[in-house]
């Protein structure tokens, strides 16, 4: 049963949502087939309390309809019907959570059925919606546009005063805000993608859209002005004021957006900071650290309920490079519990090793890493290069030589590691071997080694090698 597509889909729902689906399927309005409900119950029971039984199709059939001979086509039909009901449930959940969409359809239905008795009370309810809606994103302006359009249609049917001024000017503005903001959003996504993949995109009317976005009417709308500033950060990255104005807008207006959209804004800030750091602007390391602190202070990771291991590691690296050792240690010990259980131990050990490396607690680094092999090669490579540095710092040259040789064998045997990345670490091994083989007093050979390292670009831990050579010269 575990291999069935339907079963795999149902595993994404916790017991609370399973209960909601159960009520939905049990409603005769949506489903009248008791076998379909029984199939759901069978799968939910197996998900919540696995029996490790071998659930063949025949066994499932005998459990559902024991009085009838096995019918493969009919069983597939039951599965298909249940899947359609789950899809309907998901649609219903989204619909119920979207007040603007629901009211739009209500207005349309009142018009279609000519329910004049509902006209006044419904219009009053609809007019109150904007005051009760916290967000001012693209969905808000589109929803308002649809409501105002339906409102106008309904008013034209039931209102007697045909000479009163209509709401068409307001409808037009709502559509403008939605269109301009969404166009800028799309264009920002295009510019972001072009940073990593050289695809060409043709975004029609974008120059005119940008010109409109610069007008005061549109700059007063956070949905437009924030994406406009992100755009400016992409097209004119050397003008740092674009970034600072973006941060100011974000600080003042982020509450107008759903959490996932607000997080995407902070992702844009992170990307800008990283680009500046890569160009040698070290001041933006502090900015990046500040962005991460803001995300943590705003409880983004608790809100999401999880934290990707790579993002966890990035925060640790930025914290350490910023010299915030105490803060970083607190972060590691607090947020490790948000990571998926199956990876916590490895992520904890690796990131603590990085903390101890920066704190120059080399014996602790060695204690953590000397017996560990990480599952993913990226972490494994980083761990081995960290261990190289720790062994060198404490003068453990025999274990270091042994590690360099085992590292070389690992690189040769692991076909998952890309060739360019292998070259980086093979060069680290080669130059580390040269470094530990040279007499500390042989300045001539050390200078030759320094020139070799400086002229070789593809070396992992290149700065560390040059630092160690400089200490000996």
């Amino acid at each position: 049963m575990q291999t069935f597509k339907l079963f795999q889909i149902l595993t994404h729902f916790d017991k609370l949502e399973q209960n909601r689906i159960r009520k939905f399927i049990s409603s005769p309005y949506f489903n009248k087939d008791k076998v379909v409900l029984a199939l759901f119950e069978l799968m939910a029971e197996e998900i919540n309390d696995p029996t490790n039984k071998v659930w063949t199709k025949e066994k499932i059939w005998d459990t559902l309809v024991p009085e009838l001979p096995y019918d493969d086509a009919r069983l597939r039909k039951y599965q298909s019907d249940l899947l359609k009901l789950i899809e309907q449930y998901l649609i219903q959940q989204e619909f119920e959570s979207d007040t603007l969409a629901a009211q739009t359809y209500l207005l349309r239905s009142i018009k279609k059925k000519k329910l004049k008795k509902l006209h006044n009370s419904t219009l009053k309810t609809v007019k109150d919606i904007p005051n009760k809606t916290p967000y001012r994103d693209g969905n808000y302006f589109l929803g308002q546009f649809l409501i105002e359009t339906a409102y106008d249609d309904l008013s034209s049917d039931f209102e007697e005063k045909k000479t009163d001024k209509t709401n068409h000017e307001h409808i037009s503005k709502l559509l403008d805000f939605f269109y301009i903001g969404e166009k800028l959003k799309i264009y920002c996504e295009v510019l972001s993608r072009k940073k990593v993949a050289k695809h060409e995109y043709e975004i029609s009317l974008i120059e005119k859209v940008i010109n409109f976005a610069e007008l005061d009417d549109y700059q007063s709308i956070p949905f437009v002005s924030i994406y406009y500033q992100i755009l400016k950060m992409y097209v004119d990255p050397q003008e740092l004021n674009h970034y600072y104005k973006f941060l100011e807008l974000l600080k003042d207006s982020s509450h107008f957006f759903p959490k996932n959209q607000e997080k995407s804004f902070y992702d844009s800030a992170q990307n800008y900071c990283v680009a500046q750091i890569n160009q040698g602007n070290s001041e933006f390391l502090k900015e990046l650290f500040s962005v991460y602190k803001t995300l943590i202070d705003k409880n983004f990771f608790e809100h999401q309920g999880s934290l990707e291991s790579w993002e966890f590691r990035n925060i640790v690296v930025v914290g350490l490079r910023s010299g915030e050792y105490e803060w970083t240690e607190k972060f590691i010990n607090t947020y490790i519990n948000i990571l998926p259980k199956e990876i916590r131990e490895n992520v904890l050990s690796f990131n603590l090793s990085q903390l101890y490396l920066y704190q120059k607690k080399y014996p602790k680094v060695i204690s953590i890493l000397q017996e560990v092999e990480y599952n993913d090669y990226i972490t494994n490579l980083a761990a081995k290069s960290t261990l190289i540095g720790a062994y060198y710092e404490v003068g453990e040259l025999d274990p270091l030589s042994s590690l360099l040789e085992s590292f070389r064998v690992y690189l040769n045997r692991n076909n998952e590691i890309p060739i360019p990345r292998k070259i980086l670490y093979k060069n680290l091994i080669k130059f580390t071997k040269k470094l530990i083989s040279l007499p500390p007093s042989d300045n001539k050979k050390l200078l030759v080694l320094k020139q070799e390292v400086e002229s070789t670009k593809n070396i992992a831990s290149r700065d560390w090698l040059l630092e160690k050579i400089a200490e000996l010269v």
Side-chain angles (χ1 to χ4, degrees):
M1 187 185 298
Q2 286 82 354
T3 61
F4 293 174
K5 174 185 175 182
L6 183 57
F7 185 91
Q8 292 297 321
I9 291 171
L10 285 171
T11 59
H12 289 275
F13 301 98
D14 59 23
K15 288 186 178 181
L16 178 62
E17 195 139 40
Q18 286 175 15
N19 193 43
R20 290 173 180 163
I21 295 172
R22 181 179 292 108
K23 290 178 181 178
F24 184 87
I25 298 173
S26 300
S27 169
Y29 183 84
F30 298 105
N31 172 50
K32 296 179 181 179
D33 194 328
K34 293 182 179 180
V35 178
V36 173
L37 177 59
L39 176 59
F40 168 78
E41 296 290 8
L42 181 63
M43 289 192 166
E45 184 178 347
E46 184 65 21
I47 289 168
N48 298 330
D49 187 18
T51 60
N52 295 320
K53 291 181 181 178
V54 180
W55 285 97
T56 62
K57 290 181 179 181
E58 290 78 7
K59 189 168 185 177
I60 293 172
W61 178 269
D62 289 340
T63 304
L64 296 175
V65 279
E67 69 277 8
L68 296 176
Y70 176 71
D71 187 334
D72 187 72
R74 191 64 192 168
L75 179 60
R76 283 188 279 111
K77 180 67 167 57
Y78 288 140
Q79 291 177 315
S80 175
D81 288 347
L82 178 54
L83 181 58
K84 287 177 181 176
L85 283 167
I86 292 170
E87 290 173 347
Q88 282 182 273
Y89 164 80
L90 292 173
I91 292 169
Q92 186 66 26
Q93 289 296 106
E94 286 300 309
F95 182 79
E96 289 178 4
S97 67
D98 192 338
T99 306
L100 293 171
Q103 292 299 319
T104 299
Y105 282 104
L106 176 59
L107 290 173
R108 289 179 184 176
S109 183
I110 290 172
K111 175 181 171 65
K112 186 176 181 180
K113 298 290 186 182
K114 299 188 182 300
L115 302 174
K116 191 169 184 178
K117 294 292 184 182
L118 279 177
H119 167 244
N120 290 333
S121 61
T122 302
L123 290 185
K124 185 178 184 303
T125 300
V126 167
K127 283 297 184 182
D128 285 341
I129 288 176
N131 300 323
K132 297 177 181 179
T133 305
Y135 301 133
R136 295 294 184 268
D137 59 346
N139 289 332
Y140 167 82
F141 290 109
L142 177 61
Q144 281 294 101
F145 165 76
L146 293 173
I147 277 185
E148 289 290 342
T149 302
Y151 176 92
D152 180 69
D153 287 345
L154 193 59
S155 297
S156 64
D157 276 11
F158 295 130
E159 293 290 346
E160 295 179 359
K161 296 180 180 179
K162 303 295 183 180
T163 58
D164 287 354
K165 186 176 180 180
T166 66
N167 62 339
H168 288 93
E169 185 176 338
H170 183 50
I171 290 174
S172 178
K173 274 292 184 185
L174 290 169
L175 185 57
D176 287 345
F177 294 148
F178 169 76
Y179 178 80
I180 299 295
E182 286 294 334
K183 271 285 198 178
L184 291 175
K185 179 181 177 181
I186 290 169
Y187 193 48
C188 287
E189 289 171 356
V190 164
L191 293 175
S192 175
R193 288 178 178 274
K194 289 178 76 171
K195 292 278 186 182
V196 294
K198 294 182 179 180
H199 298 302
E200 291 300 322
Y201 298 86
E202 185 176 340
I203 308 300
S204 60
L205 302 176
I206 191 59
E207 293 300 329
K208 291 183 178 179
V209 165
I210 293 171
N211 289 337
F212 271 104
E214 291 172 344
L215 300 175
D216 289 344
D217 278 359
Y218 297 97
Q219 285 294 308
S220 66
I221 304 298
F223 175 58
V224 175
S225 59
I226 286 179
Y227 278 112
Y228 174 79
Q229 284 306 131
I230 295 175
L231 168 66
K232 299 296 284 184
M233 285 157 58
Y234 276 121
V235 299
D236 190 12
Q238 301 310 316
E239 179 49 69
L240 303 184
N241 283 334
H242 296 319
Y243 171 79
Y244 293 116
K245 186 171 182 180
F246 168 70
L247 281 189
E248 187 179 338
L249 285 169
L250 202 51
K251 180 181 178 182
D252 294 340
S253 308
S254 63
H255 59 282
F256 286 135
F257 301 91
K259 278 285 184 179
N260 63 332
Q261 194 164 3
E262 186 182 1
K263 175 62 165 61
S264 75
F265 294 151
Y266 282 104
D267 289 344
S268 296
Q270 289 175 48
N271 293 337
Y272 184 85
C273 290
V274 170
Q276 289 295 322
I277 293 167
N278 290 340
Q279 291 174 15
N281 192 342
S282 58
E283 284 298 310
F284 270 81
L285 185 62
K286 292 180 182 179
E287 288 293 332
L288 183 55
F289 180 67
S290 177
V291 171
Y292 280 133
K293 282 189 68 177
T294 300
L295 288 171
I296 291 167
D297 292 342
K298 283 176 166 283
N299 299 319
F300 268 98
F301 302 120
E302 288 91 336
H303 173 79
Q304 292 175 323
S306 65
L307 179 62
E308 295 288 343
S309 59
W310 62 265
E311 193 163 24
F312 186 98
R313 180 174 168 180
N314 286 348
I315 294 172
V316 169
V317 168
V318 171
L320 293 175
R321 289 183 62 189
S322 301
E324 300 283 349
Y325 301 151
E326 185 177 340
W327 182 93
T328 304
E329 184 170 13
K330 184 179 179 182
F331 168 80
I332 292 172
N333 292 322
T334 301
Y335 286 85
I336 192 67
N337 297 314
I338 294 179
L339 293 174
K341 289 182 179 179
E342 62 273 14
I343 65 170
R344 283 180 195 170
E345 186 177 346
N346 279 355
V347 174
L348 178 62
S349 67
F350 177 78
N351 284 283
L352 282 177
S353 76
Q354 302 306 297
L355 171 66
Y356 296 144
L357 181 70
Y358 273 81
Q359 292 176 325
K360 302 186 186 301
K361 298 177 180 179
Y362 303 117
K364 285 192 172 185
V365 175
I366 294 169
S367 176
I368 288 176
L369 296 180
Q370 63 183 351
E371 302 296 335
V372 178
E373 282 287 334
Y374 294 101
N375 294 328
D376 67 290
Y377 75 82
I378 294 175
T379 304
N380 226 2
L381 293 174
K384 289 181 185 299
S385 59
T386 297
L387 192 52
I388 286 172
Y391 275 139
Y392 180 87
E393 296 292 352
V394 297
E396 294 282 356
L397 298 187
D398 288 340
L400 175 54
S401 297
S402 178
L403 171 62
L404 292 172
E405 180 56 24
S406 65
F407 196 1
R408 183 189 66 80
V409 172
Y410 171 78
L411 290 170
N412 287 336
R413 289 180 177 176
N414 193 316
N415 295 324
E416 187 183 3
I417 305 172
I419 298 297
R421 195 177 287 263
K422 283 188 177 184
I423 292 171
L424 285 170
Y425 289 92
K426 284 185 176 182
N427 281 331
L428 170 61
I429 293 168
K430 179 179 75 173
F431 287 118
T432 303
K433 283 183 176 180
K434 286 188 176 185
L435 176 63
I436 62 176
S437 68
L438 290 177
S441 58
D442 196 336
N443 284 358
K444 186 176 180 181
K445 288 184 178 180
L446 285 169
L447 289 173
V448 171
L449 178 59
K450 179 185 177 183
Q451 290 172 355
E452 281 188 76
V453 173
E454 288 177 337
S455 62
T456 307
K457 293 182 179 180
N458 300 323
I459 312 175
S461 303
R462 185 168 179 269
D463 290 342
W464 174 80
L465 277 168
L466 290 171
E467 180 186 323
K468 297 303 112 180
I469 294 169
E471 289 175 1
L472 297 174
V473 174

